[in-house]
Amino acid sequence: MSNSLELLAVEAGSCTMCGLADGRSSVVFGSGDPAADLMFVGEGPGAEEDRQGVPFVGRSGKLLDRLLDEELGIDRSACYITNVVKCRPPENRDPRSDEIAACRPYLGGQIRAIDPAVVVTLGNFSSKLLLETDTGITKLRGRSYPFGDRQLVPTFHPAAALRGGAEVMARMRSDLVRAKKLMERVWAH
Ligand code: URA
């Protein structure tokens, strides 16, 4: 399925479906294994991601890398990482609903092409979008949800864990352990 993912990446590379196209240096489509069983979905690129064209390479990304290693025992190359919006919102503001809607087909296409068994949503934007709910992440997290024929594990955004201290970090770690347990079933087959 990497062919359709590549085609989608090319399409996204010249996308002008929303205003975020105006301010971007690069389209941050996603990175990692195009056949991954595990996929992470964040919010949107920050300044460093926009510069490098790679998701989660700034402070949040460093924490995500560490948690992947410590809780799942994997490197980012063993999973696929992307965001709800592929272009950086100015001043790191929240993505707007029209921007999220414009970018939604890319995320849908990525999920279909990669076909992961487990999707971990990082923070409110990806969790609410994929679970189609207005409920916030604090209430959503702590369990997994059926997501088509996959499982979805919502957790905090790493930026929230950086801000929120030990309590938030501990909950995020326990969500990642939940994802790991689901992955162990996949890896066992
Ligand atoms: N925050 C996100 O949600 N995504 C990134 O790629 C970086 C920071």
Side-chain angles (χ1 to χ4, degrees):
M1 277 286 136
S2 67
N3 191 32
S4 60
L5 193 65
E6 277 164 29
L7 288 174
L8 208 57
V10 170
E11 201 185 311
S14 59
C15 183
T16 54
M17 294 297 284
C18 83
L20 296 182
D22 297 338
R24 72 180 177 223
S25 305
S26 48
V27 174
V28 183
F29 183 69
S31 75
D33 179 0
D37 289 319
L38 176 62
M39 180 168 176
F40 289 83
V41 186
E43 181 180 318
E48 197 52 39
E49 289 79 18
D50 179 61
R51 246 191 303 279
Q52 296 189 33
V54 181
F56 283 101
V57 287
R59 273 191 82 215
S60 291
K62 301 273 176 292
L63 175 60
L64 182 61
D65 284 343
R66 184 153 66 82
L67 294 176
L68 287 180
D69 177 34
E70 291 176 2
E71 302 302 340
L72 283 138
I74 60 166
D75 187 84
R76 65 159 56 208
S77 61
C79 56
Y80 190 87
I81 305 178
T82 189
N83 284 302
V84 166
V85 293
K86 314 302 189 207
C87 299
R88 182 191 180 202
E91 319 297 329
N92 295 338
R93 67 158 167 75
D94 289 347
R96 293 198 314 240
S97 56
D98 59 313
E99 295 156 353
I100 293 171
C103 222
R104 181 70 180 85
Y106 293 120
L107 181 58
Q110 286 172 304
I111 295 170
R112 277 192 301 279
I114 294 160
D115 195 21
V118 176
V119 175
V120 177
T121 49
L122 301 166
N124 266 314
F125 284 91
S126 54
S127 302
K128 289 178 170 182
L129 180 69
L130 293 185
L131 290 173
E132 299 182 18
T133 177
D134 287 331
T135 305
I137 187 59
T138 305
K139 282 212 171 129
L140 288 175
R141 63 151 298 278
R143 53 163 287 199
S144 59
Y145 296 78
F147 180 57
D149 55 1
R150 319 173 202 288
Q151 290 289 316
L152 189 150
V153 179
T155 192
F156 292 114
H157 192 283
L162 285 169
R163 278 194 310 270
E167 173 83 356
V168 177
M169 190 76 83
R171 290 192 202 164
M172 189 172 180
R173 284 183 186 275
S174 86
D175 294 332
L176 294 177
V177 169
R178 185 180 308 278
K180 183 185 187 181
K181 290 194 179 127
L182 291 169
M183 290 311 299
E184 278 166 351
R185 288 190 216 157
V186 176
W187 288 328
H189 285 105

